[in-house]
Amino acid sequence: MILTLVHIELEKLFRSKRSYIGLLAIVLIILVIEGGIMLQGEALIDLISENLQDVFILQGNLLNGYLISFLSINALWLHVPILVVIVTADLISGEAGSGTIRLILSRPVSRSKLILAKFITAIIYTTLLVLLLAVLSLFLGILFFGKGDIFVIYGSINILQEEILPGRFIMAFSFGVLGMWLVASLSFVFSALAENSLSPILLTMSIIILFTVVSSFEIGIFEDLKPYLFTTHMSNWRYFFSYKLEWAKIMQSGLILVAHIVLFISLTLFIFGKKDITS
Amino acid sequence: MVELSKSFGDIKAVDDLSFKVNRGNIYGLLGVNGSGKSSTIRLILNLISPDYGSILINGKKSSNGNLILRKKIGALIERPDFYLYLSANKNLQILLKYSGLPPDKKKIQETLEIVGLLKYQYKKIGIFSQGMKQRLGIAQAIIHDPDIIILDEPFNGLDPQGIVDIRNLVGRLSQEFRKTIILSSHMLKEIELISDRMLIMNEGRAVAEGKVEDLLGAYKARIRIRVSSVSDAINTLKKINYNKVKILNEREIICQVKEEEIPKVLRILLENRISVFNVIPERSLEDYFMSLV
């Protein structure tokens, strides 16, 4: 039954124009970024490397597809959740708002299976969104700017050779997907409570922005809170761009994200299971 | 339904309500807006959970997790809401899948034919009129061939022809297909015309329940009598202290009487040489309803 439900949810999702907003936005943003770099890329490289040139002799294709992809992800990572939430927050509350939830639940459909099917659908959509970001930024980057090593300033200066970068990008994007699943699961909690799409979108984004702001301040109390905020762990895809992979840290962050997802989905199941459908 | 109660905050939506619907009957739920009809229907469908009481279907307790029982029910609840960006056909395909059935095209077309929407099957619901959505609402309620059909305000937004069509369709579902139908409406005439039994609700409670003709028969209703002389008829009836009579027009009077008193009134008129040409019962559910709520 759950597969049938997932199939129905996917069919509804991809027949709705709203679902293509995020995908289209990713395409446009990547095109704008890559187009802009194509026009003024050298200036960008000069800006990034001006301090390094005093210490290092930089040779080769610095402005390459991998660097552009890395910069694109870095710039977009806080905005991708908005594109995720526009769709995932609507999956439950949208049905409540339009009244179609009555149609579904008056049929022999288990509430918990419905939520799980919707979450699997959200996972598929989110993965697709990140995959599009990954493929497009890498593909267009390599197509227009070729390949090469990249240097990433993250804790220290990390110079990563071209050969290892495809694997690093795959791992970073996979970790990034996990973070976006968490965003989707958080939006589900609010979506189960709400009767319209707007409230869960705003609530989810407010929490993400609040947590991100808190984790960006390097002062006492905020510093202490940082490890407990899921946003801190969401941005740890950057670990994969350290010269040496710190698997203990990666695993810890990954597990914290998974634990949050389990918690949020359990909460959604509980709320929706008890909810009176009055819309 | 046994001693069912449901509150939303301080408001008692359903208050100690019990009633029984027999197989194959059309059971009318009548009440003004906010009387608890829709909450009762939502309780039957487990869309809301009761604070107290239980619902039994074929002797088995209905609950949120009892999906087998829900297979036997088809429902139209308040408004006919659909996926507006999909066609009528696609909406029914999806709803069949939710019912655990294959999206049988023949079945969909047959059902759309019954409700008169076959030629619009590939049109998106977004362009449908309220009446068309209402018909599609009934289509989705019957497409999986349920034993029990629950229709909450099925006449809303329909023009007179639409009301007649839905009334006939409900009658057909009961007589031809032997479906048990629970029908809620604030349209008193429709409940009177269609239902075998009815429950009148007010402020979440049952105020009257029984066979429609029994409930109305016991009620002091009105008759319209066409007579040879309205003034003679009025004077005759007032002479015997029958004061609940008035002139309706130059040929007709109207009297408020109990059903069993009608022959007596007519006999008195005839004995006083007043010709009676026509007697039309004016008893109405509306009068009865207003006397209760």
Side-chain angles (χ1 to χ4, degrees):
Chain A
M1 184 66 181
I2 194 115
L3 280 180
T4 309
L5 290 177
V6 172
H7 184 260
I8 298 171
E9 291 304 324
L10 284 172
E11 191 171 4
K12 287 190 301 192
L13 182 73
F14 287 106
R15 280 177 183 269
S16 164
K17 286 178 187 158
R18 183 194 188 108
S19 311
Y20 294 93
I21 295 172
L23 300 171
L24 199 67
I26 293 276
V27 174
L28 283 175
I29 293 166
I30 294 292
L31 283 175
V32 168
I33 291 175
E34 306 240 344
I37 293 175
M38 200 182 257
L39 293 173
Q40 300 231 305
E42 292 303 331
L44 178 76
I45 282 295
D46 289 344
L47 186 74
I48 297 170
S49 60
E50 64 183 358
N51 292 329
L52 296 176
Q53 275 168 344
D54 298 337
V55 187
F56 298 97
I57 298 165
L58 300 172
Q59 281 187 322
N61 182 16
L62 290 180
L63 189 66
N64 61 59
Y66 290 130
L67 180 69
I68 286 157
S69 185
F70 176 81
L71 293 174
S72 304
I73 308 161
N74 212 17
L76 276 177
W77 209 246
L78 268 177
H79 307 99
V80 175
I82 301 171
L83 304 177
V84 169
V85 164
I86 286 172
V87 170
T88 59
D90 186 57
L91 285 176
I92 307 171
S93 60
E95 302 255 22
S98 67
T100 47
I101 198 76
R102 297 195 310 267
L103 274 184
I104 302 172
L105 293 180
S106 63
R107 289 175 189 268
V109 178
S110 139
R111 289 190 184 201
S112 52
K113 281 185 184 164
L114 182 69
I115 291 296
L116 290 177
K118 282 185 178 291
F119 187 59
I120 293 169
T121 306
I123 280 178
I124 292 170
Y125 179 80
T126 307
T127 308
L128 207 67
L129 204 69
V130 177
L131 200 66
L132 183 70
L133 172 67
V135 170
L136 210 63
S137 66
L138 277 171
F139 176 77
L140 290 180
I142 292 170
L143 185 74
F144 295 137
F145 303 98
K147 295 178 182 177
D149 301 343
I150 63 170
F151 60 92
V152 176
I153 304 165
Y154 181 58
S156 56
I157 299 165
N158 299 278
I159 298 168
L160 304 171
Q161 283 86 37
E162 181 189 329
E163 298 76 49
I164 63 163
L165 283 173
R168 292 297 182 93
F169 269 103
I170 288 171
M171 286 189 282
F173 275 117
S174 303
F175 193 89
V177 165
L178 196 61
M180 292 305 124
W181 290 357
L182 188 150
V183 171
S185 66
L186 176 64
S187 74
F188 263 49
V189 178
F190 298 124
S191 192
L193 286 166
E195 302 287 322
N196 62 71
S197 309
L198 195 60
S199 310
I201 292 173
L202 293 177
L203 281 166
T204 310
M205 283 319 298
S206 302
I207 288 187
I208 291 172
I209 291 167
L210 176 74
F211 282 15
T212 308
V213 168
V214 167
S215 48
S216 65
F217 278 102
E218 294 185 354
I219 47 173
I221 186 165
F222 289 169
E223 199 67 21
D224 295 340
L225 277 174
K226 241 184 213 179
Y228 303 102
L229 303 176
F230 61 79
T231 44
T232 309
H233 302 280
M234 272 171 63
S235 59
N236 283 349
W237 58 272
R238 293 191 185 97
Y239 282 154
F240 292 97
F241 293 96
S242 291
Y243 183 74
K244 194 176 172 215
L245 290 174
E246 294 181 83
W247 283 109
K249 281 185 178 176
I250 292 167
M251 290 302 287
Q252 191 192 19
S253 280
L255 284 173
I256 288 170
L257 294 182
V258 171
H260 273 91
I261 292 170
V262 172
L263 174 73
F264 291 147
I265 288 303
S266 304
L267 208 54
T268 308
L269 288 170
F270 178 77
I271 293 166
F272 194 70
K274 297 272 177 200
K275 187 178 184 183
D276 282 338
I277 307 297
T278 53
S279 60
Chain B
M1 288 177 63
V2 186
E3 296 172 351
L4 215 59
S5 293
K6 175 71 183 177
S7 297
F8 295 105
D10 297 338
I11 300 164
K12 276 209 162 181
V14 178
D15 189 5
D16 198 21
L17 186 71
S18 298
F19 68 90
K20 183 182 171 187
V21 182
N22 292 322
R23 193 189 297 261
N25 269 11
I26 300 178
Y27 194 90
L29 287 179
L30 183 65
V32 293
N33 291 338
S35 60
K37 305 185 300 291
S38 291
S39 294
T40 303
I41 282 175
R42 283 167 196 264
L43 282 164
I44 298 171
L45 292 165
N46 301 124
L47 292 175
I48 57 177
S49 49
D51 298 333
Y52 186 77
S54 54
I55 300 142
L56 302 170
I57 298 171
N58 294 341
K60 286 174 188 155
K61 194 172 178 182
S62 169
S63 66
N64 211 342
N66 198 336
L67 302 180
I68 296 167
L69 278 181
R70 227 182 297 160
K71 275 191 177 175
K72 296 175 188 289
I73 302 177
L76 164 64
I77 313 148
E78 278 187 87
R79 301 180 310 274
D81 292 315
F82 292 96
Y83 301 103
L84 300 178
Y85 53 91
L86 300 177
S87 69
N89 189 298
K90 182 53 81 179
N91 266 280
L92 293 183
Q93 278 185 41
I94 284 178
L95 292 169
L96 270 175
K97 286 189 204 167
Y98 274 127
S99 296
L101 298 168
D104 182 348
K105 280 190 179 171
K106 196 175 160 212
K107 180 83 189 163
I108 291 170
Q109 288 178 344
E110 280 172 6
T111 311
L112 287 171
E113 175 86 75
I114 291 173
V115 296
L117 288 176
L118 186 58
K119 64 178 175 180
Y120 302 107
Q121 65 172 321
Y122 296 117
K123 299 279 182 204
K124 285 186 181 171
I125 311 281
I127 62 154
F128 275 28
S129 68
Q130 181 61 26
M132 289 164 84
K133 284 185 194 164
Q134 206 73 18
R135 285 161 200 257
L136 192 64
I138 293 179
Q140 65 79 27
I142 62 174
I143 194 162
H144 54 297
D145 200 21
D147 295 335
I148 303 162
I149 299 168
I150 299 173
L151 303 173
D152 188 9
E153 302 286 0
F155 305 107
N156 273 3
L158 295 180
D159 57 25
Q161 184 57 50
I163 291 175
V164 172
D165 289 349
I166 298 293
R167 188 197 303 151
N168 291 340
L169 177 61
V170 171
R172 203 176 145 206
L173 289 169
S174 167
Q175 284 155 19
E176 198 176 315
F177 299 101
R178 305 301 303 153
K179 304 291 183 193
T180 304
I181 297 168
I182 299 175
L183 183 99
S184 116
S185 180
H186 64 276
M187 296 176 77
L188 306 110
K189 189 162 178 264
E190 296 309 321
I191 292 282
E192 183 182 358
L193 285 171
I194 297 178
S195 307
D196 300 308
R197 292 181 74 88
M198 69 173 176
L199 171 79
I200 298 179
M201 293 183 73
N202 190 38
E203 293 177 352
R205 298 184 73 90
V207 288
E209 203 270 344
K211 282 187 178 175
V212 174
E213 63 263 30
D214 290 349
L215 291 175
L216 292 176
Y219 176 63
K220 205 172 185 181
R222 291 180 298 180
I223 50 168
R224 201 167 71 192
I225 310 169
R226 193 175 179 87
V227 290
S228 50
S229 165
V230 289
S231 53
D232 288 350
I234 292 277
N235 290 335
T236 302
L237 290 172
K238 285 193 172 172
K239 265 183 209 167
I240 57 160
N241 290 328
Y242 200 87
N243 293 317
K244 288 188 176 175
V245 58
K246 62 180 180 183
I247 297 171
L248 186 67
N249 56 47
E250 58 187 21
R251 299 296 305 276
E252 289 175 308
I253 59 167
I254 197 150
C255 316
Q256 198 170 9
V257 290
K258 281 186 179 170
E259 198 170 16
E260 59 268 25
E261 291 173 341
I262 296 173
K264 186 184 161 192
V265 169
L266 294 178
R267 196 170 57 243
I268 290 164
L269 290 174
L270 292 169
E271 282 171 0
N272 286 277
R273 300 188 177 197
I274 298 161
S275 303
V276 174
F277 301 108
N278 204 352
V279 180
I280 301 166
E282 284 265 301
R283 69 169 192 189
S284 81
L285 188 53
E286 191 169 347
D287 294 332
Y288 179 50
F289 180 76
M290 293 311 290
S291 74
L292 290 172
V293 301

